[in-house]
Amino acid sequence: MPYVNIKVTREGVTREQKARLIAGVTDLLVDVLDKDPETTFVVIDEVEIENWGIAGVQTDTYRARKKAEAQG
């Protein structure tokens, strides 16, 4: 009975994209591990961007730094 938890930042992931993620992960578990799709659970959690950190800072701060670095 697989349980997969996908966490993404809350930035406009559409219902259709979520459906594709759920179907794709389920198909992968069926193909690779021969799991029963009827007992495979996929949960998508959307996390506010200020609650997600990378390299010791909040995601928006990290992205701003990377953008500034890329612009030189």
Side-chain angles (χ1 to χ4, degrees):
M1 183 161 80
Y3 168 85
V4 177
N5 183 223
I6 300 171
K7 294 187 182 280
V8 296
T9 53
R10 187 180 307 264
E11 297 180 87
V13 179
T14 67
R15 180 179 176 83
E16 292 75 22
Q17 289 170 322
K18 291 175 189 177
R20 289 181 59 199
L21 284 170
I22 292 167
V25 168
T26 301
D27 290 346
L28 183 64
L29 287 166
V30 170
D31 292 344
V32 174
L33 299 178
D34 197 31
K35 295 297 181 178
D36 181 357
E38 294 295 321
T39 59
T40 298
F41 299 88
V42 179
V43 175
I44 300 172
D45 291 324
E46 291 183 275
V47 180
E48 296 296 337
I49 197 164
E50 65 268 12
N51 295 334
W52 194 293
I54 305 169
V57 297
Q58 290 169 306
T59 301
D60 54 346
T61 302
Y62 177 83
R63 289 178 180 169
R65 286 182 188 170
K66 288 298 186 182
K67 184 176 181 180
E69 289 173 7
Q71 292 174 345

